[in-house]
Amino acid sequence: MLFIPGNNPSMLQNSDVFESDSIIIDLEDAVNVMEKDSARNLVRCYLDNLKEKKAELVIRINGLDTTYYNDDLNQIICDKVDAIMLPKAHVADLKKLDEILTDLENQRKITKKIKIIPIVELAESLLEVEKIVFQNRVDGVLLGAEDFSSDLEVVRTKGGEEIFYARSRIAVSCAAAKIDAIDTPFTDTKDNIGLAKDCEKAISLGMKSKSCIHPNQIEVVNEMFSPSQKTIDWAKRILQAKIDADKKGLGAFSVDGKMVDKPVIERAQKIIKKAEKYHIL
Amino acid sequence: MKIGIAGTMESSDALITVRPSEKINIKVESTVFDYFGEQIKKTILDTLNELNIANIDVLCQDKGALDFTIKARLITAIERMKKSV
Amino acid sequence: MKNCLNRFVPEGFASFNGSNDYKNHISEYKKIPEKKKTSSYKTLGSIGEIFDYFNITNGSTLSFHHHLRNGDAVLNLVCVEIKKRDLKDIHLAASSLFPNNDLALHDLIVNQNITKITTNYLNGKTAELIGKGKLKEMLVMETHGGRARSIETGELKIDLAIIATPCVDKDGNGTGKEGKNACGVLGYAIPDLHYAKNVVLVSDTIKEKIENPELSNEYVDGLLIIDSIGDKNGIVSGTTNITKDPVGLKIARDATKLLKELGVIKNGFTMQTGAGGTSLAVASYIKKEMIENNIIGNFASGGITGYYVDMLRNGLFEKLYDVQCFDLLAVESSLVDKNHIFMDASMYGNPYYNNPIVNGLDLVVLGATEIDLDYNVNVTTDSFGKIIGGSGGHSDTANGAKITMITTQLIKSRIPIIKEKVTTISTPGEDVDILVTERGICINPKRQDLLQKLENSKLNIMKIEDLLKLSYEITTKPANIERSNEVIGVVKYRDGTIIDSIYKLKE
């Protein structure tokens, strides 16, 4: 997922050339308070002009604690938008946003259901993340580590020990709701080795994707989050064995000497799906 | 005096300045004027028509912005002009 | 007269007839005799003494190299002397001109002290001045290999080669690799050294003895020692770093994926890239590929940057063929590493040289300011007709290499890089095989062999006509611009024929 500043024409017009699965057009932190109007109009005109979408399109609006979010939503909601990213999310905010979106969808005769990606970046939000993940429209949760660590009054480090608990809790909650846990961006855009290490840590805790704040981070993130050839080969073997077993009418079967049961098959299916997504099958 | 300004002089952007006027006056300065000067004027004129505005001075200082950017900057400049005192 | 690409050729020039037409004329190729050998040289005390000793008069042709790039002071000092003497109709034959020379050249061009310029590359204010039609005679733009040919055949006759030489010895030998302003190998100065009527070395460092000098004293007629020939730091001018632009990096990644699919990156392969940011980024991804798969290339060539030196030192290439150093790391390496091999301009890219280095290239990665539906490439002017560079080694390598790949952004500041017809043809489309942009890759249909290999590719390979259509969808179709009919210069292809003309800018 790639963040694109909402008021930057040159980045907007090139946003679709990179290999990210989603583009997050940012109306919040990347836009100065004096330019909120300008950014909204720019994004509006960009969307009007957009003919073909190559990636999922997400808009980060300003939080429901600001005076900007209503204008944001009024201006940008259309059928090209796949999801709204909501900063400083609470359960109450999500219910309110769901209602606003329902109204706008009805008014504008939008046939699809626009999803919501809440950002957990407050201690309070983390404590209710188990509820957040089950709210209507919620399709993934992003950890916002910068605000989260300042809420905790701890120093944000490259090692990321301070967000260990937040990552784990979000990952577990998202897994329970079968939605994606999205990791916080790595802020040093020049340190791709540090980025790879950060990805490794996030993956080990169960984060399923990562946001990027610079296009040059995408390659590393894709490499880290896409399944390895070894894993893909394993998944293929499992699924082939399943087909063979079904033909023979076998209920239980084994691969490489290990019993294959339902969770293993599901994991193999997920890996193949992911591999398809990254075009590495 | 009423005035509205929006945009920047960065590459791929345009800086648009609008003022009330008797009729429509459009002035375009562009790094790509030879190729897109007429197209930029047309975009501005189409946008003014859409907004039903017939009495405005528009100065567009363009750095190779695409039409969607010019349109957006113009809309913002007009909104800002209306709000200015 | 129009040439085979339907471009205008002014009276008195030969018409371009295809990039391999030179092969039909190899038997006719005749070099003029080399200049007379000398047994001693004259020590000269000033630029003025050089003019007196070699009898520089109205109409003389003076030649220079550009190895000090934007740090050169020698051409500027000579300009001061021309102005002082108010010489007229001087023909300036400099292998390239840089913005550093702008100030010195301005008045000389306007006042017709210099009335003719032959060069391979120029930009900045001098280019602008010539674009406005201020140079009395025609600007002649050559390729690096073409200039060597032109000098060897006497097409470009040089009265005096004034060679800025970072280090000389007491016997009159010279080298670019040593001295306080060491700028590395002097590949472009060699044809001048061998074929000019007279040769003078201008240096600011003299030592007892130079081992293996590139400039042999048997060609040297005069020697002048001055305080400073310039600033070696000026050689690092222009873009010689890997791009950080995400779009450029995306292009470089796709280019490398494509090369991988084509099986180009393999043991013993040879390559050259331009020194532009995107080309260097391609080199950096190729390097990664080589390390991961234990691939060792035979050679890399061209103007050499520290980036390639690093690859040589890490054993990724067996050798480097270097015509010009682009940074100080390359300068140092050219002095100490025996696998960092000097090549002169003729050995590099002269079509009539017996098997020049460019003919051994598997791959060359180049830039473009414009490319058209016939794959013709422009690196001479921008889309407004303004002179912004020149072929340099572009056409030489494109013709020699087995695969010529152009990497460029599809759109620069709203201007689509793909044109129906390029403003100026520098390199003919018949020598261009692949175009890689951030929104699509095009393969010249004449390379069916490449297209076949890519049949199952997941890369976004499309027809160039479709990619042009896509750029118009983004930018809208640009208006047709009218340009003047007044020809102010010619683009000479490497074999000496005219591939295109350069027109005066509209006021």
Side-chain angles (χ1 to χ4, degrees):
Chain A
M1 304 185 88
L2 173 66
F3 276 100
I4 297 281
N7 201 31
N8 185 322
S10 102
M11 291 195 68
L12 266 179
Q13 71 196 44
N14 281 325
S15 62
D16 59 337
V17 306
F18 304 109
E19 299 94 337
S20 69
D21 303 308
S22 331
I23 293 160
I24 308 164
I25 301 176
D26 189 10
L27 296 175
E28 197 212 12
D29 287 354
V31 180
N32 183 294
V33 289
M34 303 298 292
E35 295 294 331
K36 296 286 184 197
D37 57 339
S38 204
R40 275 180 214 122
N41 282 326
L42 187 66
V43 174
R44 162 87 266 155
C45 291
Y46 170 75
L47 292 174
D48 284 347
N49 185 55
L50 191 64
K51 286 194 188 78
E52 187 196 359
K53 264 189 344 189
K54 289 195 184 117
E56 184 189 38
L57 205 145
V58 183
I59 312 253
R60 174 156 86 171
I61 59 167
N62 290 281
L64 265 52
D65 56 339
T66 67
T67 55
Y68 309 120
Y69 73 92
N70 252 326
D71 287 340
D72 289 349
L73 290 167
N74 272 323
Q75 287 259 44
I76 52 90
I77 290 299
C78 65
D79 55 5
K80 285 171 191 163
V81 175
D82 296 302
I84 295 297
M85 184 173 270
L86 180 69
K88 299 196 169 63
H90 293 95
V91 171
D93 294 346
L94 289 165
K95 291 193 190 306
K96 190 171 161 190
L97 181 57
D98 176 39
E99 282 168 22
I100 301 173
L101 287 176
T102 306
D103 285 349
L104 287 170
E105 281 167 357
N106 290 338
Q107 275 169 33
R108 296 179 187 182
K109 301 195 170 56
I110 296 167
T111 47
K112 72 173 178 194
K113 199 168 177 186
I114 294 170
K115 292 163 188 166
I116 300 176
I117 299 172
I119 310 179
V120 169
E121 51 189 338
L122 296 171
E124 298 177 332
S125 309
L126 188 65
L127 288 183
E128 53 176 11
V129 66
E130 295 82 355
K131 293 193 187 94
I132 287 176
V133 295
F134 287 108
Q135 294 305 304
N136 207 0
R137 297 176 189 267
V138 171
D139 187 45
V141 172
L142 173 71
L143 167 62
E146 302 311 309
D147 282 309
F148 181 76
S149 41
S150 61
D151 201 22
L152 233 59
E153 295 181 38
V154 294
V155 179
R156 178 87 176 95
T157 66
K158 271 194 184 173
E161 286 305 316
E162 69 284 0
I163 54 167
F164 168 79
Y165 177 65
R167 273 174 166 163
S168 299
R169 191 159 174 173
I170 291 171
V172 171
S173 307
C174 286
K178 297 199 163 32
I179 59 173
D180 273 355
I182 308 159
D183 198 41
T184 188
F186 186 72
T187 50
D188 185 348
T189 57
K190 292 196 177 75
D191 178 13
N192 274 0
I193 293 166
L195 171 63
K197 281 186 191 153
D198 194 45
C199 288
E200 214 170 0
K201 203 162 271 180
I203 291 165
S204 76
L205 295 175
M207 305 304 279
K208 290 292 179 289
S209 61
K210 192 169 178 76
S211 50
C212 301
I213 50 167
H214 194 285
N216 293 352
Q217 295 182 320
I218 293 171
E219 191 191 11
V220 174
V221 169
N222 277 346
E223 235 167 65
M224 297 300 295
F225 277 83
S226 57
S228 70
Q229 196 54 49
K230 213 174 134 191
T231 318
I232 296 169
D233 291 345
W234 171 83
K236 279 183 181 164
R237 279 209 310 281
I238 297 282
L239 296 181
Q240 188 54 49
K242 166 96 169 78
I243 293 168
D244 296 346
D246 285 351
K247 268 186 204 156
K248 291 179 197 156
L250 291 174
F253 61 98
S254 63
V255 169
D256 303 341
K258 284 179 189 158
M259 274 302 284
V260 177
D261 51 10
K262 201 167 157 247
V264 176
I265 294 166
E266 280 173 3
R267 209 169 99 215
Q269 284 166 338
K270 274 187 195 167
I271 288 164
I272 295 297
K273 228 173 133 183
K274 213 169 182 183
E276 276 170 359
K277 191 172 104 177
Y278 287 109
H279 304 295
I280 50 178
L281 210 55
Chain B
M1 196 179 104
K2 274 188 168 304
I3 186 167
I5 303 174
T8 71
M9 295 287 267
E10 304 279 318
S11 176
S12 300
D13 204 346
L15 184 69
I16 294 198
T17 311
V18 294
R19 290 187 178 84
S21 165
E22 305 282 296
K23 56 181 176 57
I24 293 179
N25 285 315
I26 299 171
K27 192 178 169 201
V28 176
E29 296 166 4
S30 171
T31 49
V32 293
F33 191 88
D34 292 0
Y35 285 110
F36 295 106
E38 288 308 314
Q39 178 64 27
I40 294 170
K41 272 182 207 162
K42 183 177 174 294
T43 302
I44 293 172
L45 210 57
D46 289 351
T47 308
L48 294 176
N49 284 338
E50 254 176 60
L51 299 170
N52 277 322
I53 293 175
N55 45 3
I56 193 165
D57 259 357
V58 180
L59 169 64
C60 173
Q61 292 162 291
D62 169 64
K63 295 279 179 189
L66 298 180
D67 284 342
F68 82 84
T69 300
I70 290 166
K71 182 174 177 180
R73 296 318 193 197
L74 178 59
I75 293 171
T76 307
I78 291 169
E79 285 171 359
R80 288 178 179 178
M81 177 183 78
K82 284 179 178 165
K83 278 183 198 150
S84 76
V85 276
Chain C
M1 184 172 50
K2 292 271 179 79
N3 65 22
C4 71
L5 299 174
N6 205 28
R7 301 287 170 140
F8 178 74
V9 178
E11 277 289 315
F13 290 98
S15 200
F16 176 75
N17 199 23
S19 68
N20 287 315
D21 185 56
Y22 75 90
K23 288 178 183 161
N24 304 324
H25 303 285
I26 291 175
S27 61
E28 300 152 36
Y29 190 68
K30 240 188 148 84
K31 292 186 194 178
I32 56 170
E34 282 197 0
K35 74 183 287 291
K36 61 175 174 31
K37 298 275 168 69
T38 60
S39 51
S40 66
Y41 63 86
K42 168 82 175 168
T43 304
L44 297 154
S46 66
I47 303 274
E49 278 183 34
I50 291 179
F51 275 56
D52 291 336
Y53 184 74
F54 293 108
N55 192 29
I56 301 307
T57 55
N58 293 346
S60 291
T61 298
L62 305 177
S63 90
F64 299 86
H65 66 71
H66 67 282
H67 287 279
L68 281 157
R69 296 170 66 84
N70 215 29
D72 173 63
V74 172
L75 191 147
N76 295 349
L77 289 171
V78 171
C79 285
V80 171
E81 191 65 29
I82 295 171
K83 196 171 184 179
K84 203 164 102 191
R85 295 175 181 232
D86 198 24
L87 294 178
K88 294 290 183 190
D89 299 325
I90 296 290
H91 175 194
L92 177 64
S95 52
S96 296
L97 293 169
F98 281 84
N100 176 47
N101 307 124
D102 285 345
L103 197 64
L105 289 173
H106 181 274
D107 289 356
L108 296 190
I109 292 171
V110 171
N111 298 332
Q112 301 194 355
N113 300 103
I114 292 171
T115 49
K116 193 174 173 192
I117 293 179
T118 303
T119 189
N120 310 347
Y121 183 98
L122 81 161
N123 54 24
K125 293 249 158 52
T126 306
E128 210 178 305
L129 200 64
I130 296 170
K132 286 178 185 159
K134 302 293 180 194
L135 185 69
K136 189 179 159 200
E137 287 182 51
M138 205 77 89
L139 170 71
V140 178
M141 300 208 55
E142 300 200 277
T143 73
H144 285 329
R147 181 175 190 271
R149 177 206 54 77
S150 188
I151 293 172
E152 284 179 9
T153 56
E155 191 175 293
L156 174 57
K157 285 194 189 67
I158 299 165
D159 293 310
L160 178 64
I162 303 174
I163 302 178
T165 313
C167 183
V168 294
D169 69 16
K170 291 188 169 156
D171 297 330
N173 298 298
T175 180
K177 300 174 185 176
E178 299 176 62
K180 63 180 178 190
N181 281 306
C183 62
V185 297
L186 300 176
Y188 297 128
I190 303 303
D192 310 49
L193 179 79
H194 292 179
Y195 291 96
K197 199 166 138 206
N198 290 299
V199 171
V200 59
L201 307 189
V202 180
S203 184
D204 54 15
T205 304
I206 184 158
K207 66 184 275 190
E208 201 56 40
K209 178 104 192 107
I210 297 169
E211 300 298 330
N212 306 316
E214 307 103 88
L215 308 181
S216 162
N217 64 352
E218 58 185 350
Y219 297 101
V220 176
D221 303 285
L223 178 62
L224 167 66
I225 303 293
I226 56 177
D227 289 343
S228 170
I229 58 168
D231 175 9
K232 65 176 175 182
N233 294 304
I235 70 171
V236 198
S237 58
T239 48
T240 51
N241 282 317
I242 298 173
T243 184
K244 291 193 175 66
D245 170 46
V247 176
L249 288 174
K250 149 88 176 161
I251 295 166
R253 275 197 299 276
D254 284 353
T256 310
K257 280 183 200 159
L258 183 79
L259 293 170
K260 221 174 127 181
E261 289 187 16
L262 288 171
V264 175
I265 310 165
K266 57 178 189 223
N267 272 326
F269 89 110
T270 59
M271 70 177 278
Q272 179 168 336
T273 60
T278 308
S279 298
L280 280 181
V282 177
S284 82
Y285 285 114
I286 290 178
K287 175 182 171 183
K288 204 173 143 202
E289 198 56 39
M290 292 171 82
I291 293 172
E292 274 169 18
N293 298 298
N294 292 316
I295 292 165
I296 297 168
N298 180 357
F299 72 79
S301 60
I304 295 296
T305 60
Y307 201 80
Y308 278 103
V309 170
D310 194 55
M311 287 171 87
L312 178 70
R313 286 181 182 170
N314 286 303
L316 294 176
F317 281 107
E318 285 165 22
K319 46 195 183 277
L320 301 179
Y321 285 107
D322 186 356
V323 68
Q324 170 186 33
C325 297
F326 280 133
D327 57 32
L328 299 178
L329 188 62
V331 174
E332 189 215 315
S333 165
S334 74
L335 180 65
V336 299
D337 198 326
K338 69 174 184 352
N339 294 320
H340 187 141
I341 302 160
F342 166 68
M343 63 174 172
D344 64 49
S346 205
M347 173 183 176
Y348 170 36
N350 178 353
Y352 292 100
Y353 187 92
N354 183 23
N355 211 11
I357 293 296
V358 294
N359 287 7
L361 284 169
D362 291 324
L363 168 72
V364 65
V365 182
L366 299 164
T369 58
E370 295 180 330
I371 181 167
D372 67 22
L373 296 179
D374 298 321
Y375 288 82
N376 295 313
V377 170
N378 177 13
V379 287
T380 306
T381 62
D382 66 10
S383 296
F384 299 92
K386 190 174 136 190
I387 302 163
I388 46 88
S391 176
H394 201 282
S395 327
D396 299 318
T397 50
N399 182 252
K402 290 190 187 71
I403 293 180
T404 299
M405 174 188 263
I406 303 291
T407 57
T408 176
Q409 293 200 11
L410 185 61
I411 294 157
K412 285 180 192 160
S413 185
R414 196 170 182 166
I415 303 209
I417 298 307
I418 304 177
K419 309 281 165 184
E420 281 159 42
K421 298 277 172 207
V422 288
T423 308
T424 311
I425 302 177
S426 314
T427 295
E430 61 183 305
D431 286 345
V432 176
D433 305 311
I434 301 171
L435 166 68
V436 183
T437 74
E438 71 277 23
R439 287 177 193 276
I441 294 171
C442 307
I443 311 284
N444 191 332
K446 98 181 160 45
R447 293 302 301 262
Q448 285 299 322
D449 57 325
L450 300 182
L451 280 164
Q452 250 166 33
K453 279 189 192 170
L454 295 165
E455 246 170 21
N456 299 316
S457 173
K458 282 182 180 138
L459 290 162
N460 186 18
I461 295 169
M462 53 205 292
K463 284 189 181 147
I464 196 164
E465 290 81 5
D466 294 335
L467 195 54
L468 173 68
K469 227 170 91 189
L470 177 67
S471 19
Y472 286 173
E473 277 170 24
I474 295 168
T475 66
T476 71
K477 193 175 177 194
N480 287 324
I481 60 173
E482 269 182 48
R483 63 178 179 199
S484 79
N485 292 320
E486 196 179 328
V487 173
I488 54 143
V490 288
V491 182
K492 218 183 230 188
Y493 190 64
R494 56 203 300 255
D495 65 358
T497 60
I498 300 307
I499 191 164
D500 206 347
S501 296
I502 304 172
Y503 297 84
K504 189 176 162 178
L505 280 177
K506 278 199 306 179
E507 293 300 325

